[in-house]
Amino acid sequence: MSLCSHRFSAGSGGSAGGAPLPSFYSSKPVKPSKLFYSFSSSRTPLPLLVFSLLCLFIGLAGTLFAISTIRRNQPLPVFRCGKSEDTFRAFYSSSDFAKLGDDSSKGLVDSPKLLGFVGIQTGFESGERRAALRNTWFPSDPEGLLRLEQATGLGFKFVIGKSKDAKKMAMLEKEIEKYRDFMLIDVEEEYLKLPYKTLAFFKAAFMLFKADYYVKADDDIYLRPDRLATLLAKERREKMTYIGCMKKGPVITDPKLKWYEKSGHLIGNEYFLHAYGPIYVLSAEVVASLAAARNNSLRMFNNEDVTIGSWMLAMNVHHEDNRAICDPRCTPTSIAVWDIPRCSGLCNPATKLRELHKIGMCSKSPTLPPDDV
């Protein structure tokens, strides 16, 4: 009632039309109550003022942080499977390297579906081999490697583990920074642990790359990527497929010989059918089974090719024997050339790779149609 009383008493004491006021109105000024004063005063309560200033400060701080984050040079993203890393896609996902002037690098971050992923197995002592490969069929620059992958539908990376030697790791980091063509896996790089490295490779490759086939290849063979793509593009009835140069042979039980098999007593006198180690192919369905295997659930033999062959035997896969991926010389149909059976790969590979590349039949002969391969 005091609010209305004050509003009317502020005038001449009467109504607008001069009529007498009702008896319950008083012409005497009424002192406003404390409730009315709290709403009509122009002063702002101190808590509200403090709260407003705090909100303003937070808003300004957020704006400044967003601006500084956008302008700051962002670190290259890392594409990992556990501790395994693909250095190539991390390189191309950065906006600093959109050099090709088109959309050719789009989709790398999302790992587009490949016809096949080829992991070139290498080591810390194989720098000369990698240099020879980069001077022959393996492009030495990221843009060239990207063009090869786009032309063939295949992905290519050097695959290497880790070392406790800090100097070796430092040298590797420099090489990675220069070429960006490595896949790093979380396993000790050691010859006696090749079966473990191979399994780690397939598991990481399956998680990092979507492909129809996964190829394990060594760094001492001469490869024709275009012909390999033609081979993998063939239609096959069997989903579980194991492609390679198949072999059998006596089990080596003498510890003094190179291919000694410590667990030879579990195999017998002769090895089961399996592919030579320098290069072979597993279909995605096979690799998916390997990727799902628990650690230490698969038997490891001394020799990597025997180990893989034993898994393939247990998994009931289709064995596809193809001699074009173990050709001892360059021919119109050769896919991989190496000195079988004299060496497991090329003898003196750093020199031989360059020599083969100069031969037109090796590097320049056309790829034959699929039916002729």
Side-chain angles (χ1 to χ4, degrees), residues 122-127 130 160-163 168-169 172 189:
T122 191
F124 288 94
E125 310 300 330
S126 299
R130 292 192 294 274
I160 194 169
K162 60 185 181 181
S163 173
K168 290 182 178 180
M169 293 301 295
L172 177 62
E189 189 65 49

Side-chain angles (χ1 to χ4, degrees), residues 156-174:
F156 298 90
K157 304 289 177 294
F158 286 111
V159 180
I160 194 169
K162 60 185 181 181
S163 173
K164 296 178 181 178
D165 191 322
K167 291 184 178 179
K168 290 182 178 180
M169 293 301 295
M171 291 181 63
L172 177 62
E173 288 296 332
K174 291 181 180 179

Side-chain angles (χ1 to χ4, degrees), residues 275-322:
Y276 279 97
I279 181 172
Y280 53 83
V281 183
L282 302 182
S283 64
E285 290 76 10
V286 176
V287 178
S289 297
L290 295 180
R294 300 191 310 273
N295 290 337
N296 302 321
S297 64
L298 298 173
R299 180 175 294 278
M300 298 289 183
F301 292 99
N302 280 31
N303 299 300
E304 171 258 335
D305 55 353
V306 173
T307 302
I308 295 293
S310 68
W311 300 343
M312 299 302 101
L313 193 65
M315 293 168 64
N316 194 29
V317 305
H318 174 70
H319 290 57
E320 183 177 318
D321 187 18
N322 192 306

Side-chain angles (χ1 to χ4, degrees), residues 341-355:
R342 290 188 294 141
C343 298
S344 181
L346 288 169
C347 305
N348 191 14
T351 300
K352 192 66 177 290
L353 283 165
R354 292 181 172 91
E355 292 176 353

Side-chain angles (χ1 to χ4, degrees), residues 2 4-14 21 25-30:
S2 60
C4 294
S5 175
H6 175 72
R7 187 173 301 165
F8 281 95
S9 64
S12 59
L21 293 173
Y25 283 103
S26 172
S27 61
K28 185 179 180 180
V30 180

Side-chain angles (χ1 to χ4, degrees), residues 27 55 90-91 102 114 117 119 165 177 213 246 253 279 291 311 328:
S27 61
C55 290
F91 172 76
D102 53 27
L114 298 169
F117 174 72
D165 191 322
E177 184 70 22
Y213 296 93
M246 300 299 167
T253 56
I279 181 172
W311 300 343

Side-chain angles (χ1 to χ4, degrees), residues 218-274:
D218 288 344
D219 59 5
D220 55 356
I221 64 174
Y222 188 91
L223 186 66
R224 282 290 297 260
D226 52 345
R227 294 178 185 171
L228 177 61
T230 302
L231 171 66
L232 300 184
K234 283 186 174 182
E235 291 188 8
R236 293 176 172 84
R237 294 181 180 179
E238 299 83 4
K239 295 294 184 181
M240 303 279 283
T241 303
Y242 172 38
I243 308 171
C245 289
M246 300 299 167
K247 64 171 180 175
K248 286 185 176 181
V251 177
I252 307 299
T253 56
D254 186 350
K256 298 179 181 179
L257 299 180
K258 182 177 182 180
W259 308 117
Y260 165 64
E261 186 56 68
K262 183 178 180 181
S263 301
H265 62 283
L266 298 176
I267 301 173
N269 296 326
E270 186 178 67
Y271 283 118
F272 38 79
L273 189 69
H274 63 284

